[in-house]
Amino acid sequence: MRGIKEKDDSLTSPDSGVVLVVEPLLPQRIRRPSDLLRMLMTLLAITAVILLALVAQRTLNGLETDVQAGTGRAPEWISSIAGLLGGVAVLAVPVAFAVERVFHRDGMRVAQGLIAAILALLLSYTLGEWMVTSGPAELRTLLTGDRDVEPLNTVLTPVIAYATAVRMSRRPRWRALLWVALIFDFFALFTSAKITMLGAIVTYLVGLFVGFVTLYGVGSANTRPPGSAVVAALKRLGFAIVSARRIDDDSSGSRRYIVGLADTTRLSVTVLDRDRQVAGVVYRLWRRLRLNSETRRRAIRSLRAELEREALMAYAAQAAGARTPRLLGTSEVGTEAALLAYEHVDSRPIQDLPDDDLDDGLLLQMWEQVRLLHARRLAHRHLTGESIHLAVDGHILLVDARSGEIAAGDLLLRLDVAQLLAYLGLRVGAERAVKTGAAVLGDDTIAAALPLLQRIALARDTRAAAGKDKNLLPALREQIVALKPQATVEPVRLERFRPRTLVTIIASTLAAYILLSQLSQINLVSMLTTADWAWGGVALVAAALSYVAAASVVRGFVPEPLPFGRTVLVQLASSFVKLVAPAAVGGVAINTRYLQKRDIPSGKALSSVGASQLIGLASHITLLLLAGYLTGTQAAPSLTPSRGLLITLLASATVMVVILAIPPLRRIVSKRVRALFSGVVPRLLDVLQSPSKIIEAVTGTVMVTVCFVICLAACVKAFGGELSITAVAVVFLAGNAIGSAAPTPGGLGAVEASLIFGLTVAGLPKETATSAVLLFRVLTFWLPVLPGWAAFTWLQRKDAL
């Protein structure tokens, strides 16, 4: 602790000029969030560069040729001088910098740089050896050009890592000298064909990455101003300081001090440290990317911008008449921090109060403070238990307005209301939260927040609590509807996209890459000219009949009468929906919607679809076991079915054990299964009362699989493949299960890969298997898209979907 002696704060005289600041000793070294962010961004850049190089190989090779040709035209004497100067300078500049730092007693920085250089040398050498001996052939060619060249330059990588770890970039003269040395050395390496374009870029990025790893791992010298510097800055503002002590940091990590003045009043001082400005930036970047523009906040602000923002919000809140700590002054503290001095008010956050102490009087005060802010178009944006305080005089006080907005739009004001409703609903229940809010803000204002009662709209802590209390948001909505049943509020979409959508896009991109890689391995012209299109016609008919069978499944599991033709069109329309939804989701959604439009209640519609899915799953497993058994009894030389069936069963059992052993996964699966199959048994009992429905349902379920198996077998025959129908059935049933689990639209990529692998294991040549699977997917996935779109559009026009 600063200040060895224990004494009363009032004993320190302002005239003495010395104020003992009671605070923990500041650490000598700190890990800066900015270094971690730079490390992650550099790693992302390395990944992006390598992926881009693999995708655009021809472009990179052309650029490589142009660079080699351009540097190769330089006179030999220029190349020799550049090589000599560059080779000497890239070593001399770091050594000279180290000597200069040692003379300034900054040896720790030099030691940190040496650690980074050693790590970079080991990493570049290890990666280079791995790349040459067993790395991907395409990447090795791009990094070495198939010449005697190091994939990563083991001299430049340590130099760049060293310069990064010693923060040479903050010294303009030394930074300029290093760049000149690097340019000379890179030029010499290109003229002598000792490095490639991709190798140069990756060498630089890997050096940066190791440097930032070292900076974050070892830590940097702490440049935060101590409490004495904060006191000195306050004195320059004209305050007569007699005592100062540090208290707990606020929620954003900013330091806070309680400062005693000569007139017995006190200040609450918030210190903004420059190195804390990027704390939590990854979370803010993710929110900024995911949310619409009106709701997002800037991910990174400068120290000056953050100071001005908080000061402006504090002055605006005071002018609005809200009870907030009065801002008395602001100041920079050196170059690494800034402070805001508030009038100190004895209070404690309401999150520390028991729920029973939050009576209606306090709730009404909270809403009154919100009303005062909103009347002047001020949005607080962080109405949580740590930002709402109860003063010793019994009044509510709002603090932590740093994230607030002036001249806020209606959406931000409604978000404030939704946030406070959710927080108070957690503490005192939905009824009291809505009732007290309506008493102050009015029924219309509370009703306007209804569409914003979404988890994504809430503060992080409130969002986490709402995730645990599943009844909170529905209860609040019910109370608001009961309060204002006639209110019509436009829905608000806050998210640009959902994480599930992002996963689908990434998975689809990977699937497309896999599919294109497969296409590149076959000759499409030869495939089209050598195929037996009589078998192709059989495959087409089987694919078409699968939609008729699917319509029979739906009709069979719905006791109510359904028109056969329109039901077939709905199944055809689902082929269009598969383009934007995973295979296991699109059919369920469109069939449920179709049944709802037929005036079947939502619960019964979902139960009917769930019943068809349940029976379909049982049929799928039964047919897989039957086909595997029959294939084994035939002793087909092209497939060892008993082993393959055993592997399939063991893999399925392993997955199920893993799911059941991990509680979060078990809860997710059980919740979704219950949601899908709830009400299935009563619906099945309704179906069992009609023998014709049973026959139609069971026949359709089996025929869907049979049609697809015949289609795949015909595709195999079209390219001269010979495989038993039962072996094809095993491959299809296993591949279809994998495709249904894949998050890509229609199982794209996963189905192709699994079917090709299965047919190859069954004994088909890889080229034949690839051609057969691609034809199968064209007939069952791509060809129905256009008629599926036409059916989807027609059904929507007829209000059938």
Side-chain angles (χ1 to χ4, degrees):
M1 300 289 286
R2 293 187 182 273
I4 305 298
K5 298 180 181 179
E6 294 289 338
K7 56 167 58 178
D8 183 64
D9 292 342
S10 62
L11 297 180
T12 306
S13 171
D15 298 332
S16 65
V18 177
V19 177
L20 296 179
V21 182
V22 181
E23 67 174 346
L25 286 173
L26 296 179
Q28 293 184 347
R29 307 190 68 80
I30 57 174
R31 290 187 173 90
R32 299 178 183 272
S34 57
D35 293 331
L36 177 61
L37 177 63
R38 292 187 180 101
M39 179 186 74
L40 295 176
M41 295 300 293
T42 306
L43 183 60
L44 182 63
I46 294 172
T47 305
V49 166
I50 292 176
L51 290 178
L52 184 62
L54 291 173
V55 172
Q57 294 184 38
R58 294 184 178 179
T59 303
L60 186 62
N61 289 332
L63 181 61
E64 176 78 22
T65 302
D66 294 340
V67 171
Q68 294 289 351
T71 55
R73 294 177 181 176
E76 186 177 350
W77 64 273
I78 292 181
S79 300
S80 301
I81 293 176
L84 178 62
L85 292 177
V88 172
V90 293
L91 297 177
V93 171
V95 171
F97 183 84
V99 172
E100 189 256 354
R101 287 292 89 199
V102 169
F103 273 113
H104 285 80
R105 298 182 180 181
D106 195 7
M108 184 60 190
R109 180 178 300 195
V110 176
Q112 188 167 288
L114 291 175
I115 292 173
I118 293 171
L119 291 176
L121 177 62
L122 293 175
L123 180 62
S124 60
Y125 178 79
T126 303
L127 288 177
E129 288 296 310
W130 171 77
M131 188 62 61
V132 170
T133 56
S134 58
E138 295 178 349
L139 185 58
R140 180 169 62 249
T141 300
L142 291 172
L143 287 171
T144 64
D146 288 331
R147 304 189 300 270
D148 185 18
V149 172
E150 290 183 315
L152 275 72
N153 191 288
T154 52
V155 174
L156 293 180
T157 307
V159 169
I160 295 168
Y162 171 90
T164 304
V166 298
R167 298 193 187 276
M168 198 179 291
S169 60
R170 295 188 177 183
R171 306 286 297 279
R173 292 183 180 179
W174 287 104
R175 181 179 65 231
L177 286 173
L178 181 66
W179 270 110
V180 169
L182 290 175
I183 290 172
F184 273 121
D185 205 34
F186 275 122
F187 177 78
L189 290 171
F190 277 116
T191 56
S192 60
K194 291 297 184 182
I195 199 170
T196 64
M197 178 62 68
L198 181 61
I201 296 173
V202 174
T203 292
Y204 179 74
L205 291 176
V206 169
L208 282 180
F209 175 73
V210 175
F212 290 131
V213 168
T214 306
L215 275 174
Y216 189 74
V218 178
S220 305
N222 190 354
T223 57
R224 297 176 184 174
S228 58
V230 174
V231 169
L234 290 171
K235 287 183 176 181
R236 288 194 297 271
L237 290 176
F239 295 110
I241 312 298
V242 296
S243 65
R245 62 183 175 88
R246 183 175 171 181
I247 58 177
D248 294 337
D249 297 349
D250 64 15
S251 58
S252 63
S254 299
R255 289 182 285 160
R256 297 191 301 166
Y257 294 84
I258 297 295
V259 177
L261 303 181
D263 60 1
T264 69
T265 61
R266 291 189 291 176
L267 303 176
S268 292
V269 178
T270 300
V271 178
L272 309 178
D273 291 303
R274 187 181 299 278
D275 63 86
R276 294 292 306 172
Q277 295 308 109
V278 297
V281 68
V282 175
Y283 171 77
R284 294 199 297 272
L285 283 172
W286 168 247
R287 294 275 292 183
R288 185 171 176 82
L289 178 65
R290 186 178 174 187
L291 297 182
N292 288 322
S293 56
E294 285 189 79
T295 61
R296 64 192 186 188
R297 297 165 50 196
R298 291 194 61 180
I300 303 177
R301 288 193 185 93
S302 67
L303 181 65
R304 165 63 67 173
E306 194 74 15
L307 175 68
E308 292 175 348
R309 180 188 183 86
E310 183 169 349
L312 181 59
M313 188 64 190
Y315 288 134
Q318 291 175 25
R323 287 183 60 87
T324 60
R326 190 161 60 98
L327 182 62
L328 302 178
T330 62
S331 174
E332 291 187 342
V333 186
T335 60
E336 297 297 319
L339 66 81
L340 299 101
Y342 293 92
E343 179 184 31
H344 178 72
V345 179
D346 287 327
S347 63
R348 57 173 174 162
I350 63 170
Q351 67 181 5
D352 295 340
L353 295 178
D355 293 346
D356 294 339
D357 289 352
L358 296 178
D359 56 30
D360 286 352
L362 290 180
L363 301 185
L364 292 172
Q365 284 194 58
M366 296 178 202
W367 287 113
E368 177 62 21
Q369 296 305 308
V370 172
R371 186 193 68 78
L372 292 172
L373 291 178
H374 288 188
R376 298 296 180 91
R377 311 299 296 182
L378 303 177
H380 188 280
R381 304 205 64 184
H382 195 64
L383 292 169
T384 63
E386 61 186 359
S387 301
I388 305 174
H389 283 220
L390 178 63
V392 292
D393 60 2
H395 288 89
I396 290 295
L397 184 74
L398 298 182
V399 301
D400 192 20
R402 188 177 310 164
S403 58
E405 293 280 353
I406 64 171
D410 289 339
L411 180 59
L412 292 181
L413 301 183
R414 292 161 65 191
L415 282 171
D416 262 3
V417 176
Q419 165 60 32
L420 189 54
L421 279 172
Y423 176 75
L424 293 181
L426 289 168
R427 298 293 304 273
V428 300
E431 182 179 1
R432 289 181 61 196
V434 173
K435 179 181 177 181
T436 53
V440 177
L441 300 181
D443 295 352
D444 292 336
T445 302
I446 296 298
L450 177 62
L452 295 172
L453 287 171
Q454 310 171 31
R455 283 188 59 202
I456 191 65
L458 306 178
R460 185 185 298 189
D461 293 342
T462 311
R463 183 165 65 250
K468 297 177 182 178
D469 186 357
K470 301 296 184 182
N471 296 323
L472 171 66
L473 297 183
L476 288 169
R477 296 188 190 105
E478 290 178 5
Q479 291 296 325
I480 294 175
V481 171
L483 178 72
K484 196 78 173 176
Q486 72 277 17
T488 56
V489 183
E490 291 294 327
V492 177
R493 179 170 180 174
L494 300 177
E495 295 177 284
R496 293 177 181 274
F497 59 87
R498 295 183 178 181
R500 182 183 301 174
T501 305
L502 186 62
V503 171
T504 300
I505 293 173
I506 295 173
S508 301
T509 304
L510 293 175
Y513 177 76
I514 294 172
L515 185 60
L516 291 175
S517 300
Q518 295 167 353
L519 287 173
S520 65
Q521 298 174 6
I522 62 174
N523 189 328
L524 290 177
V525 176
S526 175
M527 182 186 80
L528 295 174
T529 55
T530 59
D532 184 350
W533 290 108
W535 283 109
V538 173
L540 178 61
V541 172
L545 289 176
S546 68
Y547 292 100
V548 178
S552 298
V553 174
V554 175
R555 283 167 45 90
F557 284 102
V558 178
E560 295 81 3
L562 296 176
F564 187 78
R566 183 165 291 190
T567 307
V568 173
L569 288 179
V570 171
Q571 308 317 304
L572 186 60
S574 67
S575 63
F576 169 67
V577 178
K578 288 179 183 177
L579 281 178
V580 294
V585 176
V588 172
I590 198 168
N591 280 310
T592 303
R593 181 66 174 170
Y594 170 59
L595 296 179
Q596 290 172 342
K597 284 293 186 177
R598 298 291 302 178
D599 295 328
I600 298 175
S602 300
K604 291 185 177 181
L606 188 59
S607 297
S608 295
V609 176
S612 66
Q613 294 287 312
L614 179 61
I615 300 302
L617 176 62
S619 171
H620 197 99
I621 295 174
T622 302
L623 290 174
L624 178 60
L625 294 174
L626 178 62
Y629 172 76
L630 292 177
T631 308
T633 59
Q634 295 170 1
S638 60
L639 185 65
T640 55
S642 58
R643 182 185 302 171
L645 183 60
L646 180 61
I647 291 174
T648 301
L649 292 176
L650 287 176
S652 302
T654 302
V655 172
M656 291 303 299
V657 168
V658 170
I659 291 175
L660 294 175
I662 301 176
L665 290 178
R666 184 171 64 246
R667 286 193 294 269
I668 292 174
V669 172
S670 62
K671 176 183 176 182
R672 296 196 175 188
V673 170
R674 281 198 301 268
L676 182 61
F677 298 128
S678 59
V680 166
V681 174
R683 200 64 169 160
L684 285 175
L685 294 176
D686 293 339
V687 172
L688 290 175
Q689 297 177 9
S690 173
S692 61
K693 287 288 185 180
I694 299 173
I695 295 173
E696 187 174 17
V698 174
T699 303
T701 301
V702 175
M703 287 306 299
V704 168
T705 302
V706 170
C707 288
F708 281 123
V709 171
I710 293 175
C711 180
L712 181 58
C715 291
V716 171
K717 286 284 188 180
F719 293 98
E722 292 293 335
L723 206 62
S724 66
I725 191 69
T726 52
V728 174
V730 171
V731 172
F732 167 76
L733 291 168
N736 189 61
I738 294 174
S740 298
T744 57
L748 186 65
V751 171
E752 289 83 358
S754 58
L755 291 180
I756 292 172
F757 174 77
L759 292 177
T760 304
V761 171
L764 285 182
K766 187 175 182 180
E767 295 76 12
T768 303
T770 302
S771 301
V773 169
L774 291 179
L775 177 59
F776 173 76
R777 290 293 278 172
V778 167
L779 295 176
T780 59
F781 182 75
W782 295 108
L783 187 62
V785 167
L786 187 58
W789 169 79
F792 186 84
T793 304
W794 186 84
L795 289 167
Q796 281 195 321
R797 191 179 300 120
K798 296 296 183 180
D799 197 30
L801 283 180

